[in-house]
């Protein structure tokens, strides 16, 4: 594992609020549990991005997870540069669009995108002129997890599907002639 | 000074500035219509002579579809008098090309409210001869979303914004070179929502700070204008997603009061239980987030346990997860499940136990005390900025809307208002802990006297006809049900500001009805909007670490700010 702290861009320091829980937005028990068992956990990094209430879905049933230094998900800060998986939840407003594009561009190949919640899938609860109707209008999405907010089982299932996709090497954005292949 | 005297004082102080009219509603609220253009002087006189020291909110209204008015816009200043506990709404009409002077030198918190009005409605407000900036949308965006003739937002025209700081011309080159601009966000971990902070650092200290908002502006107010009343309940729940039932409670209560429906006593009691439970959970969330911020293990388990068990209890009632749709117009959508009250009593005991242990370990922690007593807020400052709720009480101002304007059974239950002295984060923490105890007290009293009977009103205008009648083939009943499903209840003509003491502070809703199923204007007055505004003042001169603690103790939610 490289030291990713070097790569943190000034523009995107994500360690302002509650920095010790970088994965904190998504550190729900279910995510941790299903991810821990996955073989890929040492190679692939999440970039969790939540703009609104979906972040809550993971904290409601969260057991207190103490950062004891043994859990790989808590070891270092994550920036979008080393992340392969963008987990986005929340509404996509016009102001977020340029930022999201930037994040997606900077992510390293191969890229997976998980859209969590109805807002990220279709903008449904706030359908109107102010929110975009889905993340796939911006870039290809691999997995969608429906619900408002999604249930724990839904998140579990979605992540299982994601890791299966990864094992089989199905990805929406693989760089051609890239040195960074898909590690299995 | 009683309210009769107050009317005389108002008459004396407003008469030099031209015509006006005062109407007092049955609940004692004043509506003052000012026709002259000296609005600045009028507001100044109201503050200086009549004791309206807090500006609650400013509301802009587009009257384009109303054929009776001559001028297109209307501005409503909602003011509050703490001595008399009276609210006043100052209404003035504004033409399309007119320019209104800013009143941010009278009340500091007017600044953001005016920026919002310019942004969403396009009413030109000048401050020091400059038109105010936009707040949610970037400056190069054209159009004003809350106007009735607004159509759509072009998603392609948005770009990443630049530094909002103007060059400080007084500084020497050397001083300039020492300053660096740092941005944070819009991605924030935790559950505060998306926003960006621009900070200018001098060494390790913050010299200027400017929040950038609008990242999750979903246009809740615009959306509610185009839907019927029932369909906007889910929007009000997502306003403050940490305590969803508070927003929907206010929405339903405001509409019930406008339609003049009396809801059953059982529904009132259940709503009080929901409100107090939300208060307990949200206060614990606030304390817990500071603990996470400081990486302090003492007491963390206890507070997170309170949150967890409380959420579980609520979802046992709602059965649909976090967003519950429990409140509906006319009462509750379902009755309490069997044995739920027993579980509630057990939860009260659990909270008491956890709170005692958690508070004991935090009280004795010197680190917790030191980190939390860096920045204090003065009472006068807090009043100027429109701060309400536990933060205002932590500076020693004895004000709680549950006492000042009691609704439901709040005048019958016994509770006290805890007060702080210094307005530091530590005082806010103490006030919150005491408030949790008082809320438990209220919960126990309501649970002891829970009324039996209906949980939803049987009024013809809002509730469905019974199944028996439909089976009998009663055509009138069928038509009524059809109408309720398709159109929903009708909002009568009138304007009304309703508010309640939400966990964070005063949550208000200004509603305008026009004898139709859709409201003509919806305006939410959210506590976070007015708590975020002074943050840039209070964080000056602090290090980033301390600013984080101050920020967390203000308990700001961006979904409430952006709406
Ligand atoms: S899908 Fe629902 S819970 Fe998730 S961000 Fe949207 S409104 Fe909030």
């Amino acid at each position: 594992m490289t030291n990713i702290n070097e790569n943190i861009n000034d523009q995107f320091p994500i360690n302002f609020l509650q920095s010790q829980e970088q994965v904190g937005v998504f550190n729900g028990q279910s995510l941790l549990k299903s991810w821990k068992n996955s073989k890929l956990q040492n190679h692939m990094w999440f970039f969790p991005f939540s703009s609104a209430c979906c972040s809550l879905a993971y904290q409601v049933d969260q057991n207190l997870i103490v950062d004891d230094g043994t859990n790989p998900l808590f070891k270092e800060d994550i920036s979008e540069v080393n992340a392969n998986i963008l987990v986005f939840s929340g509404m996509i407003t016009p102001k977020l669009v340029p930022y999201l594009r930037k994040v997606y561009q900077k992510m390293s190949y191969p890229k997976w995108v998980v859209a969590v919640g109805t807002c990220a899938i279709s903008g449904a609860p706030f359908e109107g002129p102010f929110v975009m109707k889905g993340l796939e209008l911006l870039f290809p999405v691999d997995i969608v997890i429906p619900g408002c907010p999604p249930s724990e089982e839904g998140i579990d299932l979605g992540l299982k599907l994601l890791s299966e996709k990864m094992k089989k090497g199905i990805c929406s954005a693989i760089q051609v002639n890239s040195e960074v292949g898909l590690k299995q | 000074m009683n309210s009769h005297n107050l009317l005389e004082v108002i008459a004396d102080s407003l008469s030099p500035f031209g015509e006006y009219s005062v109407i007092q509603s049955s609940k004692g609220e004043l509506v003052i219509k000012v026709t002259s253009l000296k609005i600045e002087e009028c507001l100044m006189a109201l503050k200086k002579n009549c004791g309206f020291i807090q500006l609650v909110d400013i509301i802009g209204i587009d009257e384009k579809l109303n054929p009776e008015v001559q001028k297109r816009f209307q501005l409503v200043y909602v003011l509050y008098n703490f001595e008399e506990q009276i609210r006043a709404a100052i209404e003035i009409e504004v033409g399309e090309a007119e320019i209104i002077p800013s009143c941010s030198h009278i009340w500091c918190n007017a600044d953001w409210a005016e920026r919002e009005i310019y942004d969403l409605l396009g009413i030109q407000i000048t401050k020091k001869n400059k038109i105010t900036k936009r707040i949610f949308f970037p400056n190069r965006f054209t159009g004003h979303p809350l106007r009735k003739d607004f159509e759509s937002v072009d998603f392609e025209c948005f770009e990443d914004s630049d530094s909002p700081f103007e060059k400080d011309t007084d500084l020497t080159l050397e001083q300039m070179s020492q300053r660096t601009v740092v941005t944070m966000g819009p991605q924030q971990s935790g559950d505060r929502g998306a926003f960006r902070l621009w900070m200018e650092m001098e060494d390790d200290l913050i010299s200027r700070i400017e929040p950038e908002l609008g990242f999750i502006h979903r246009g809740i107010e615009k959306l509610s204008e185009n839907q019927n009343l029932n369909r906007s309940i889910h929007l009000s729940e997502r306003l403050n997603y940490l305590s969803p039932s508070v927003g929907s409670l206010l929405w339903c209560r405001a509409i019930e009061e406008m339609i003049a429906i009396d809801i059953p006593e059982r529904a009132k009691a259940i709503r009080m239980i929901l409100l107090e439970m939300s208060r307990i959970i949200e206060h614990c969330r606030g304390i817990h987030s500071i603990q996470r911020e400081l990486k302090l293990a003492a007491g963390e388990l206890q507070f997170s346990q309170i949150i967890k068990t409380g959420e579980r209890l609520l979802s046992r009632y709602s059965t649909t997860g976090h967003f519950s749709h429990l409140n509906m117009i006319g009462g509750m959508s379902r009755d309490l499940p069997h044995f739920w009250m027993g579980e509630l009593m057990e939860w009260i005991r659990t909270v008491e136990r956890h709170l005692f242990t958690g508070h004991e370990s935090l009280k004795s922690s010197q680190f917790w005390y030191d980190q939390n007593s860096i920045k204090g807020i003065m009472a006068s400052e807090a009043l100027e900025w429109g701060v309400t709720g536990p933060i205002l009480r932590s500076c020693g101002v004895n004000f709680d809307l549950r006492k000042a304007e009691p609704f439901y059974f709040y005048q019958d239950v016994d509770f006290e208002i805890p007060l702080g002295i210094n307005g530091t984060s530590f005082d806010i923490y103490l006030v919150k802990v005491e408030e949790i105890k008082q809320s438990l007290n209220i919960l126990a009293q309501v649970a002891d006297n829970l009324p039996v009977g209906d949980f939803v009103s049987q009024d013809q205008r809002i509730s469905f006809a019974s199944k028996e009648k439909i089976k009998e083939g009663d055509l009138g009943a069928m038509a009524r049900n059809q109408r309720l499903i398709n159109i929903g209840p009708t909002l009568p003509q009138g304007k009304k500001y309703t508010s309640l003491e939400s966990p964070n502070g005063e949550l208000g809703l200004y509603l305008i009805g026009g004898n139709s199923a859709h409201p003509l204007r919806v305006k939410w007055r959210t506590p976070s909007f007015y708590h975020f505004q002074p943050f840039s003042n209070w964080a000056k001169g602090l290090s980033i670490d301390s600013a984080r603690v101050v920020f967390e103790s203000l308990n700001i939610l961006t979904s409430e700010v952006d709406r």
Side-chain angles (χ1 to χ4, degrees):
Chain A
M1 237 174 299
T2 53
N3 181 9
I4 24 187
N5 279 333
E6 290 168 7
N7 289 331
I8 292 183
N9 188 322
D10 253 3
Q11 194 66 23
F12 308 107
I14 49 173
N15 49 354
F16 174 43
L17 299 165
Q18 303 160 5
S19 56
Q20 84 279 25
E21 293 201 1
Q22 263 326 302
V23 199
V25 190
F26 274 85
N27 65 357
Q29 212 191 353
S30 56
L31 187 142
L32 263 188
K33 249 196 266 166
S34 44
W35 204 245
K36 249 183 191 171
N37 302 332
S38 156
K39 271 193 229 159
L40 300 160
Q41 54 163 320
N42 286 334
H43 308 301
M44 299 295 165
W45 289 83
F46 281 109
F47 184 67
F49 192 146
S50 180
S51 71
C53 21
C54 266
S55 62
L56 211 71
Y58 317 101
Q59 301 190 333
V60 173
D61 258 83
Q62 145 197 357
N63 267 349
L64 245 206
I65 303 164
V66 185
D67 179 11
D68 54 359
T70 56
N71 192 333
L73 276 179
F74 284 90
K75 258 184 195 161
E76 280 136 305
D77 291 344
I78 300 171
S79 84
E80 72 282 358
V81 183
N82 344 61
N84 296 86
I85 310 160
L86 171 67
V87 186
F88 180 82
S89 70
M91 27 263 165
I92 311 150
T93 55
K95 248 192 164 173
L96 268 183
V97 169
Y99 180 78
L100 271 174
R101 284 212 176 103
K102 237 186 205 172
V103 167
Y104 186 72
Q105 266 172 16
K106 285 195 178 181
M107 271 165 56
S108 45
Y109 283 96
K111 302 174 185 181
W112 280 276
V113 178
V114 186
V116 182
T118 324
C119 277
I121 299 171
S122 66
F126 305 101
E127 199 178 344
F130 302 98
V131 293
M132 193 168 241
K133 291 176 183 60
L135 201 59
E136 66 256 33
L137 298 179
L138 291 179
F139 35 74
V141 174
D142 291 284
I143 302 275
V144 294
I145 303 177
C148 179
S151 65
E152 249 193 89
E153 298 82 37
I155 296 161
D156 252 356
L157 191 61
L159 288 171
K160 249 178 230 156
L161 283 178
L162 177 69
S163 55
E164 259 168 44
K165 261 194 159 182
M166 290 174 140
K167 271 177 210 155
K168 289 182 182 157
I170 308 167
C171 179
S172 57
I174 303 181
Q175 201 180 29
V176 193
N177 299 332
S178 152
E179 289 168 18
V180 192
L182 186 62
K183 294 170 189 166
Q184 291 203 357
Chain B
M1 203 161 54
N2 58 33
S3 72
H4 194 68
N5 280 343
L6 184 68
L7 285 182
E8 280 170 15
V9 177
I10 290 176
D12 282 349
S13 43
L14 285 192
S15 51
F17 308 117
E19 281 179 43
Y20 71 93
S21 65
V22 184
I23 307 162
Q24 190 162 24
S25 77
S26 56
K27 276 197 168 179
E29 284 172 10
L30 299 174
V31 177
I32 305 175
K33 282 206 170 84
V34 182
T35 39
S36 77
L37 270 181
K38 293 187 175 167
I39 183 69
E40 213 180 341
E41 287 87 347
C42 289
L43 292 175
M44 186 65 108
L46 282 172
K47 185 188 179 188
K48 287 264 157 65
N49 308 339
C50 314
F52 288 100
I53 52 171
Q54 194 174 53
L55 174 73
V56 180
D57 204 1
I58 310 179
I59 299 132
I61 304 156
D62 183 5
E63 300 262 26
K64 187 162 194 208
L65 304 180
N66 186 352
E68 284 162 26
V69 292
Q70 285 148 5
K71 297 187 175 177
R72 177 165 180 180
F73 299 110
Q74 200 175 38
L75 280 182
V76 183
Y77 295 78
V78 184
L79 313 178
Y80 198 77
N81 182 334
F82 279 89
E83 261 174 83
E84 306 269 326
Q85 305 201 327
I86 277 187
R87 196 172 276 121
I90 322 297
E91 297 180 356
I92 78 162
E93 288 183 357
V94 185
E96 211 157 340
E98 264 174 54
I99 293 174
I100 297 291
S102 159
C103 63
S104 56
H105 58 282
I106 309 177
W107 296 281
C108 305
N109 61 340
D111 189 22
W112 275 21
E114 284 167 351
R115 278 175 66 186
E116 188 197 309
I117 285 170
Y118 170 63
D119 193 359
L120 301 182
L121 278 156
I123 301 177
Q124 314 222 350
I125 297 174
T126 47
K127 188 177 162 189
K128 293 180 192 154
N129 294 328
K130 264 203 255 167
I131 304 271
T132 45
K133 289 183 287 182
R134 281 177 176 264
I135 185 164
F136 296 141
F137 290 96
N139 280 337
R140 64 176 85 83
F141 176 72
T142 52
H144 302 284
L146 272 183
R147 288 191 174 187
K148 297 283 180 196
D149 48 10
F150 176 80
E151 273 162 10
S152 64
V153 181
D154 178 14
F155 274 69
E156 298 305 318
C157 78
F158 287 84
E159 287 168 23
D160 240 0
S161 43
D162 311 325
S163 162
F165 298 117
E166 288 160 15
K167 282 243 160 57
D168 208 338
T169 41
D170 304 342
L171 298 178
T172 59
L173 261 178
E174 196 186 338
Q175 280 171 318
M176 293 270 272
S177 63
Q178 282 171 353
R179 297 194 168 189
T180 46
V181 174
V182 187
T183 66
M184 280 161 185
Q187 196 260 356
Q188 314 279 1
S189 52
D191 42 21
R192 301 260 166 240
F195 63 93
R196 183 184 275 160
L197 280 181
W198 292 86
M199 293 186 288
E200 198 182 55
M201 310 290 297
E202 204 174 349
D203 297 335
D204 282 350
L205 303 180
I206 298 169
S207 63
R208 277 192 285 178
I209 184 164
E210 180 91 29
E212 189 186 336
L213 306 174
F215 285 100
I216 48 173
H217 176 70
R218 299 147 285 178
I220 284 187
E221 290 158 359
K222 181 83 177 174
L223 292 179
S224 323
E225 279 175 22
N226 301 328
Q227 290 177 346
N228 69 38
L229 300 172
N230 282 329
R231 291 199 55 190
S232 298
I233 295 178
H234 80 273
L235 293 180
S236 60
E237 288 202 336
R238 279 154 188 80
L239 189 67
N240 176 346
Y241 49 75
L242 292 186
S243 37
S245 39
V246 177
S248 59
L249 199 163
L250 181 60
W251 174 261
C252 296
R253 192 182 131 225
I255 290 167
E256 282 151 10
E257 282 180 10
M258 276 186 89
I259 311 183
I261 292 174
D262 203 22
I263 65 167
E265 295 204 327
R266 189 176 174 83
K268 289 181 185 171
I270 297 177
R271 282 187 184 178
M272 277 175 72
I273 292 178
L274 286 185
L275 183 55
E276 294 309 320
M277 278 185 73
S278 305
R279 194 183 314 278
I280 293 171
I281 295 173
E282 187 149 350
H283 281 355
C284 287
R285 257 188 221 283
I287 297 167
H288 188 230
S289 66
I290 304 179
Q291 284 173 326
R292 279 193 310 197
E293 196 54 62
L294 296 173
K295 303 185 186 180
L296 192 69
E300 190 173 5
L301 187 65
Q302 279 80 11
F303 284 105
S304 71
Q305 276 293 329
I306 296 178
I307 302 168
K308 208 169 116 183
T309 47
E311 292 273 357
R312 195 173 294 156
L313 188 58
L314 278 178
S315 64
R316 258 267 292 141
Y317 177 17
S318 69
T319 68
T320 52
H322 187 68
F323 294 111
S324 53
H325 281 250
L326 283 174
N327 293 304
M328 62 181 237
I329 297 167
M332 311 304 295
S333 58
R334 58 182 81 83
D335 203 359
L336 292 175
H338 292 301
F339 312 121
W340 197 82
M341 286 319 280
E343 283 172 44
L344 177 68
M345 299 310 269
E346 210 161 284
W347 186 67
I348 292 176
R349 274 198 295 279
T350 320
V351 176
E352 267 170 0
R353 205 177 57 235
H354 282 316
L355 191 68
F356 180 77
T357 347
H359 184 47
E360 279 298 310
S361 48
L362 277 186
K363 225 172 30 179
S364 51
S365 160
Q366 187 64 31
F367 178 67
W368 173 255
Y369 177 78
D370 290 344
Q371 290 297 316
N372 273 298
S373 33
I374 291 167
K375 174 76 193 168
I377 301 162
M378 269 168 20
S380 58
E381 216 180 348
L383 286 171
E384 277 288 301
W385 284 105
V387 168
T388 50
I391 306 168
L392 184 65
R393 289 191 282 276
S394 77
C395 332
V397 180
N398 184 347
F399 180 69
D400 190 323
L401 276 173
R402 287 176 294 173
K403 287 271 193 213
E405 295 170 359
F407 61 100
Y408 299 163
F409 299 121
Y410 274 112
Q411 67 263 58
D412 304 331
V413 292
D414 210 17
F415 68 100
E416 278 160 25
I417 308 176
L419 295 178
I421 301 169
N422 306 318
T424 54
S425 309
F426 189 71
D427 280 26
I428 298 176
Y429 160 71
L430 287 181
V431 166
K432 280 182 177 172
V433 169
E434 284 306 314
E435 265 181 28
I436 293 173
K437 287 181 190 162
Q438 296 300 328
S439 291
L440 289 176
N441 201 348
I442 296 175
L443 274 181
Q445 289 175 49
V446 177
D448 277 349
N449 305 303
L450 190 75
V452 286
D454 275 344
F455 54 90
V456 63
S457 158
Q458 296 301 334
D459 196 298
Q460 288 246 341
R461 287 166 293 176
I462 47 144
S463 75
F464 290 98
S466 65
K467 273 180 193 163
E468 284 80 49
K469 279 197 173 165
I470 304 288
K471 273 182 194 158
E472 283 167 19
D474 186 338
L475 282 181
M478 281 186 200
R480 177 174 134 200
N481 280 7
Q482 196 69 26
R483 202 194 116 74
L484 275 176
I485 292 169
N486 289 343
I487 305 175
T490 317
L491 202 62
Q493 195 124 26
K495 303 173 179 181
K496 197 163 189 319
Y497 178 83
T498 325
S499 62
L500 59 77
E501 182 78 27
S502 84
N504 257 344
E506 177 174 352
L507 182 69
L509 173 61
Y510 191 83
L511 261 182
I512 302 183
N515 272 334
S516 63
H518 299 181
L520 294 182
R521 173 83 165 99
V522 178
K523 170 75 170 63
W524 288 95
R525 185 256 185 234
T526 52
S528 296
F529 187 80
Y530 289 101
H531 293 171
F532 204 170
Q533 195 175 359
F535 173 66
S536 34
N537 259 21
W538 294 338
K540 257 179 218 167
L542 300 182
S543 67
I544 287 189
D545 281 347
S546 337
R548 278 152 68 167
V549 175
V550 174
F551 183 85
E552 288 294 340
S553 71
L554 294 180
N555 205 1
I556 293 158
L557 252 190
T558 336
S559 73
E560 255 192 358
V561 181
D562 287 353
R563 300 191 297 275

